Amino acid sequence: MAEENKTKKSNLEKVDVNIQEFREIIKDITENSSMISLKEHEQHMNTSRYKHCYEVAFYTYAICKKLGLDYISAARGAMLHDFYFYDWRNKGVEGQKRFHAYRHPRIALNNAIENFDLNDLEKDIIVKHM
């Protein structure tokens, strides 16, 4: 088992990750004031929605690059997958918590379309990420 884990680790280490390339791919998104505002929205416990999206985008970029997939569209779609501006845990808004998992991908897509030029794959990633 230990030998198997070493093999898996060495394969992951071979991923050609270029942080500068990744940052350039999502630069227009990370510099957008609406996206920056997500730094103020809590996502999961001790992380902001911005940080969550950034980390998902980075791992998506790395995995897709390793697999020879469209890592540019994948990273951009991942960065925008939770591009909404409400707190889904707010019990004061009828149905918000209950239907959040079903509603937020479409809301994120609509917000992304209003703010960015997206290709069809990026749109598909956003709306289908759940």
Side-chain angles (χ1 to χ4, degrees):
M1 184 66 152
E3 190 62 38
E4 183 180 317
N5 287 338
K6 285 181 184 177
T7 303
K8 288 181 181 179
K9 184 176 181 182
S10 65
N11 287 338
L12 291 175
E13 290 172 345
K14 294 178 185 176
V15 175
D16 181 23
V17 175
N18 180 330
I19 192 69
Q20 289 306 113
E21 177 183 53
F22 168 70
R23 289 180 179 153
E24 190 61 33
I25 289 167
I26 61 169
K27 184 178 180 180
D28 63 316
I29 300 170
T30 59
E31 292 179 350
N32 177 278
S33 61
S34 294
M35 177 55 76
I36 292 168
S37 76
L38 294 184
K39 290 180 179 183
E40 304 303 318
H41 292 265
E42 185 179 338
Q43 182 70 5
H44 301 294
M45 304 292 252
N46 296 321
T47 191
S48 70
R49 189 164 308 135
Y50 178 95
K51 184 178 180 188
H52 164 73
C53 289
Y54 187 90
E55 290 174 351
V56 169
F58 178 75
Y59 287 113
T60 300
Y61 158 83
I63 291 166
C64 289
K65 191 159 188 175
K66 169 72 174 167
L67 296 174
L69 302 173
D70 182 353
Y71 59 89
I72 294 172
S73 295
R76 292 176 59 77
M79 188 66 199
L80 293 164
H81 81 279
D82 281 342
F83 193 49
Y84 61 90
F85 309 104
Y86 61 89
D87 183 351
W88 63 271
R89 295 164 293 209
N90 184 349
K91 295 177 184 174
V93 179
E94 182 62 33
Q96 190 158 285
K97 186 173 184 176
R98 185 173 174 196
F99 298 108
H100 170 73
Y102 303 104
R103 293 177 54 232
H104 87 272
R106 178 66 56 192
I107 293 168
L109 175 61
N110 290 336
N111 290 335
I113 288 170
E114 288 178 18
N115 286 272
F116 305 101
D117 291 324
L118 304 173
N119 65 36
D120 289 340
L121 181 55
E122 292 164 350
K123 293 174 188 175
D124 196 52
I125 290 166
I126 297 165
V127 79
K128 293 181 180 170
H129 79 272
M130 289 300 285

